[in-house]
Amino acid sequence: MKKITTVVAVILSIMFIAGVAGAKDWKKVRFGVEGAYPPFSFTTPEGKLDGFDIDIAKALGKAMGVEIDLVAQDWDGIIPALLAKKYDAIIASMSITEDRKKKVAFTNKYYQTPAKFVCKKGAIKEFSKDAIKGKAVGVQRATIHDKYLTDNYGKDVNIKRYGTQDEAYLDMTAGRLDMLLADSVALSDGFLKKPEGQGFQFIGPDLTDEKWFGVGAGIACRKGDTDLVKQLNAAIDKIRADGTYKKIQDKYFDFNVYGE
Amino acid sequence: MDFSIIFGNLDIYLEGLKNTAILVSISLMIGLTLAIPLAVLRTSRNYLVAAPIRAFVYFFRGTPLLIQIFLIYYGLGQFEVFKASVLWPLFKEAYFCALLAFTLNTAAYTTEIIRGAIEGTPHGEVEAAKAAGMSKMLMFRRIILPSAFRRALPAYSNEIIFMLHGSSLASVITIIDITGAARIVNSRFYSPFEAFLTAAVFYLCITFAIIWLVNKLEFRWYAHLRPQDTGTADGGV
């Protein structure tokens, strides 16, 4: 009996030491990404992941001197999968909000853009709560836009929730939706500038209320991995300083996507 | 584990329950209504009658329900011609698309269940009906279909439960069914365990109700197979 106890104790302590050592020594960082949120994260026709988030992930990996792995994960399971250790950090245009901070630890922001509504050209003259009453508005489920819409217009509009932004675009062109609410850059590059987005326009003000839209998009890590957050923050500063960030930004946008 | 978020959002689940109940019951009813004549025609020796039904059943059993929903919901919306047609106001509604996909899907499976049961009719019963001078219609109505339904019931109860579980796919096309409610609650509180466990409990309760109903039906339909109570004067055969 005593022997077994000793063996178990030894095994447990080895596992414990290995676990602690593994947490401190990041040789390889697995990033969870979405892959259906152009231009930040999308899948090319060849089936490869590409986009602003993906390039930032690669640049951060280089800056940290670690190997990286990209894991595509659907949005509404992206935090649970992080907590279940399917990957170590999320780079998926995730806004830093109080709600999410309860579950995960965020780095500093790596970009910040406002949210906006989109409607059919000329469909809404002037934006107001009354003007959009009863309209079918598409949002991506579990996003800050979903929460903002539910909290502010939940009783006034008919909210349709989608698993990916791409599905919302499909239904907008199919005529099932009157409006969309999403990140302005995602809407502009992922929809309005595309052939299928012709005939649609932005409507209403830039939405930046910190209560819902947070302080920009950050990288989410598990709460215990403070060292990883620190390293990622240092890496963000590094790519901001050495021009890598600007190079990536200019590949996708013609304006300052980092914000103030 | 924090189930207070579930009780605080029970209204979302109740709406989900309502939508699941409506979608499943209507599609099962229409599906069964379609399946009976289809199954009868499917047993026809005339190839021109049986072949189209065979193709229909093959398609809907041979493809995943999710693909059928995507084809009907997103696929048809791609064609401008279709969007200009009189059918579009119907297909514009996610609810109708889900209902259509579920109905056709369950009709295909039920057709096969009933066809199997019809073909399993004992020859003796058919011969007896013929000997009694019954017309083909009368024979189907009085002899073949009633005995086929009895044989089909256990397999059909499976189909009812599969349809209930398949209906969770409605949540991918913006419908708030029980699964859709769980996804909303999960996305708002990042508590997948509580959110989906609650959905599971709802499905278990409905499944339990279905099993209870089928058992009741079996008890009545199989009355002639039960040991008869010979204690009373008019008992026995």
Side-chain angles (χ1 to χ4, degrees):
Chain A
M1 190 62 207
K2 204 170 169 201
K3 225 176 184 176
I4 295 174
T5 323
T6 320
V7 170
V8 169
V10 167
I11 291 174
L12 280 179
S13 50
I14 288 172
M15 278 163 69
F16 180 72
I17 292 163
V20 171
K24 293 282 172 212
D25 184 24
W26 294 98
K27 283 209 178 74
K28 184 174 194 175
V29 177
R30 293 166 303 160
F31 286 112
V33 298
E34 195 193 353
Y37 193 66
F40 293 102
S41 183
F42 54 89
T43 313
T44 63
E46 294 81 41
K48 275 191 156 161
L49 289 162
D50 204 357
F52 181 77
D53 286 347
I54 311 294
D55 285 353
I56 290 286
K58 287 177 182 161
L60 291 177
K62 221 181 211 174
M64 289 162 68
V66 296
E67 215 182 305
I68 68 155
D69 229 356
L70 296 172
V71 183
Q73 161 70 43
D74 270 355
W75 179 254
D76 59 359
I78 210 161
I79 287 181
L82 172 74
L83 301 179
K85 304 201 173 177
K86 305 279 187 237
Y87 35 75
D88 308 306
I90 301 170
I91 299 197
S93 301
M94 184 176 282
S95 304
I96 304 163
T97 63
E98 290 305 317
D99 270 353
R100 289 180 180 140
K101 274 190 196 161
K102 288 177 198 154
K103 291 279 177 186
V104 296
F106 278 106
T107 63
N108 301 330
K109 70 167 180 177
Y110 68 98
Y111 81 84
Q112 182 172 23
T113 48
K116 251 177 132 84
F117 283 104
V118 153
C119 71
K120 205 169 194 153
K121 264 184 192 149
I124 297 166
K125 292 262 145 29
E126 206 157 317
F127 184 86
S128 70
K129 209 162 186 165
D130 279 334
I132 68 166
K133 212 176 179 81
K135 304 253 184 231
V137 187
V139 285
Q140 189 178 3
R141 188 188 292 119
T143 56
I144 49 170
H145 314 105
D146 181 2
K147 183 142 178 52
Y148 174 80
L149 201 63
T150 310
D151 289 352
N152 292 283
Y153 297 96
K155 297 225 155 47
D156 303 300
V157 300
N158 177 9
I159 304 174
K160 303 260 187 198
R161 297 181 178 85
Y162 295 85
T164 67
Q165 201 63 49
D166 284 346
E167 286 171 355
Y169 297 155
L170 274 176
D171 258 9
M172 190 71 182
T173 43
R176 289 192 180 103
L177 293 172
D178 300 310
M179 299 173 78
L180 292 168
L181 175 64
D183 179 82
S184 55
V185 178
L187 283 170
S188 152
D189 288 54
F191 186 58
L192 295 178
K193 283 184 190 163
K194 295 261 179 76
E196 58 270 25
Q198 300 310 305
F200 298 96
Q201 65 173 56
F202 280 125
I203 184 86
D206 283 0
L207 305 169
T208 51
D209 195 327
E210 219 181 281
K211 183 175 172 212
W212 285 280
F213 299 105
V215 288
I219 301 162
C221 304
R222 282 181 295 272
K223 282 201 161 170
D225 294 337
T226 41
D227 53 324
L228 182 61
V229 174
K230 244 182 245 162
Q231 287 184 36
L232 283 168
N233 273 334
I236 294 173
D237 290 343
K238 194 173 166 199
I239 63 167
R240 288 278 302 158
D242 71 7
T244 316
Y245 185 94
K246 189 163 183 327
K247 227 194 254 161
I248 297 172
Q249 169 188 295
D250 293 346
K251 189 174 151 194
Y252 295 97
F253 312 108
D254 48 12
F255 59 92
N256 170 19
V257 72
Y258 188 76
E260 296 310 313
Chain B
M1 292 278 269
D2 174 15
F3 280 95
S4 63
I5 55 170
I6 303 299
F7 294 108
N9 290 279
L10 211 55
D11 53 328
I12 304 180
Y13 279 98
L14 291 179
E15 196 198 333
L17 175 65
K18 187 191 84 185
N19 283 332
T20 296
I22 295 175
L23 279 172
V24 174
S25 55
I26 294 187
S27 55
L28 281 173
M29 272 190 282
I30 306 179
L32 181 62
T33 317
L34 285 174
I36 296 169
L38 284 177
V40 171
L41 294 174
R42 169 75 174 75
T43 58
S44 161
R45 285 204 196 108
N46 186 338
Y47 195 71
L48 286 177
V49 176
I53 299 168
R54 234 177 154 144
F56 162 77
V57 170
Y58 179 67
F59 178 79
F60 280 93
R61 291 206 310 168
T63 53
L65 182 55
L66 183 62
I67 300 292
Q68 294 158 19
I69 292 174
F70 275 157
L71 274 176
I72 293 174
Y73 186 75
Y74 288 120
L76 290 177
Q78 181 190 327
F79 303 106
E80 288 302 324
V81 191
F82 189 76
K83 279 199 275 183
S85 78
V86 287
L87 288 174
W88 182 244
L90 275 177
F91 280 85
K92 208 176 142 183
E93 298 301 326
Y95 222 89
F96 176 81
C97 293
L99 211 53
L100 183 70
F102 291 172
T103 303
L104 293 177
N105 186 278
T106 186
Y109 278 95
T110 313
T111 301
E112 274 306 283
I113 292 172
I114 300 178
R115 176 194 70 98
I118 289 176
E119 288 181 351
T121 312
H123 280 299
E125 290 184 19
V126 181
E127 272 172 18
K130 272 187 188 155
M134 285 191 190
S135 72
K136 216 165 184 185
M137 271 304 271
L138 194 65
M139 195 163 78
F140 262 110
R141 200 155 55 85
R142 287 220 183 129
I143 308 296
I144 298 178
L145 284 180
S147 89
F149 286 153
R150 284 198 192 97
R151 273 188 301 278
L153 189 58
Y156 187 63
S157 73
N158 253 349
E159 168 58 19
I160 297 175
I161 293 169
F162 283 149
M163 197 63 246
L164 170 69
H165 296 170
S167 75
S168 64
L169 291 172
S171 67
V172 300
I173 53 167
T174 75
I175 294 172
I176 302 171
D177 67 336
I178 295 172
T179 307
R183 291 172 82 164
I184 290 178
V185 171
N186 170 38
S187 70
R188 215 171 281 165
F189 302 97
Y190 306 110
S191 307
F193 193 77
E194 292 89 333
F196 291 114
L197 189 68
T198 309
V201 169
F202 271 91
Y203 283 115
L204 279 172
C205 291
I206 304 179
T207 306
F208 186 79
I210 293 171
I211 294 172
W212 182 80
L213 271 173
V214 171
N215 277 345
K216 278 239 142 190
L217 209 59
E218 278 186 4
F219 189 78
R220 278 185 54 183
W221 280 10
Y222 299 155
H224 64 293
L225 296 177
R226 276 202 305 276
Q228 298 291 318
D229 179 9
T230 48
T232 52
D234 58 352
V237 189

